[in-house]
Amino acid sequence: MKYLILTGLLVFLSACGAKQNESRQQARQNESGSAQRVERLDPYSAPLHRAQKKATATDFEVTLLNGETFRLSEQKGKVVLINIWATWCPPCRDETPDLVDLHEKYKDEGYLTLGVSIDEQGESVVRPFMEEYGVTYPMYIDSDGTVMEKYGPTMGIPTTYIIGRQGNLRYFAVGAVTKKELEPRIKELLAEGN
């Protein structure tokens, strides 16, 4: 019971921390006028922030839940969405059906979703979650912090990164992102070609 209360408090604080940081950032942008405004397509989605500078996504190599090796740099030519999440996170649960739909819809066009679970219980909770939600995209359990070391620390979960065909970080979001917010950006990046 103590663990559940603590977990709930951490989720609440993570979400609040992300909202406070977003509010502070917007206030600073309004004051300075120099930061680019985030175009939101869905008011129910976390905003997707466009990368302001060209930056190559940090490479990593991991062994997926299905036993295959995944190396980010070998995905060049594809649009890759990296979603850092956990089974105990309600916003993560909310966005999963949209991530599954997008993966299925665009996987034959050069799009790939990679799930990165930070669940400490590992496969015992991730596999049942994948079955319940029909997750078909590759999944990695980041028990040793391989991905979080390169893409963290995050302000909260879920955290999403979208990498373009050339291997550059193009968008990121903290919080649940909807299909309505993601799909136009994915289509835009897929249209850029190789």
Side-chain angles (χ1 to χ4, degrees):
M1 183 67 171
K2 209 186 244 183
Y3 177 73
L4 288 174
I5 293 169
L6 180 60
T7 300
L9 180 61
L10 288 173
V11 169
F12 176 76
L13 292 175
S14 294
C16 290
K19 286 282 185 203
Q20 287 175 336
N21 286 339
E22 184 180 322
S23 296
R24 281 188 218 123
Q25 184 179 14
Q26 286 175 347
R28 275 189 239 121
Q29 288 175 2
N30 292 339
E31 289 170 11
S32 69
S34 62
Q36 186 177 12
R37 194 159 235 242
V38 177
E39 176 192 358
R40 295 209 36 202
L41 305 175
D42 184 356
Y44 299 103
S45 176
L48 269 172
H49 301 275
R50 186 181 294 270
Q52 297 298 304
K53 296 179 182 177
K54 187 175 180 178
T56 302
T58 305
D59 194 22
F60 59 85
E61 183 176 310
V62 295
T63 302
L64 302 172
L65 204 51
N66 65 7
E68 294 178 8
T69 299
F70 178 94
R71 185 172 183 93
L72 184 60
S73 59
E74 291 176 357
Q75 308 309 312
K76 197 166 183 182
K78 293 181 182 176
V79 174
V80 179
L81 182 146
I82 300 173
N83 181 251
I84 301 173
W85 69 284
T87 60
W88 47 262
C89 162
C92 300
R93 290 177 171 271
D94 291 344
E95 75 177 356
T96 298
D98 284 354
L99 296 179
V100 171
D101 286 349
L102 289 167
H103 178 74
E104 287 302 310
K105 186 172 182 178
Y106 294 104
K107 67 181 180 183
D108 294 333
E109 295 180 37
Y111 170 75
L112 172 71
T113 301
L114 173 66
V116 178
S117 167
I118 60 168
D119 283 283
E120 291 179 6
Q121 300 88 351
E123 285 188 51
S124 67
V125 294
V126 174
R127 282 195 188 275
F129 180 94
M130 291 177 70
E131 288 174 23
E132 179 183 346
Y133 285 85
V135 175
T136 55
Y137 49 82
M139 186 65 64
Y140 171 66
I141 300 173
D142 199 23
S143 56
D144 61 357
T146 299
V147 176
M148 287 297 287
E149 186 177 296
K150 303 201 184 289
Y151 286 85
T154 60
M155 292 188 297
I157 60 168
T159 295
T160 301
Y161 299 93
I162 303 177
I163 298 157
R165 290 186 184 266
Q166 299 301 316
N168 295 318
L169 181 63
R170 300 295 298 273
Y171 291 97
F172 74 95
V174 178
V177 185
T178 64
K179 183 177 181 178
K180 185 176 178 181
E181 192 76 30
L182 287 168
E183 190 166 25
R185 278 48 181 254
I186 291 168
K187 288 168 75 172
E188 164 203 331
L189 296 178
L190 287 171
E192 289 180 354
N194 290 320

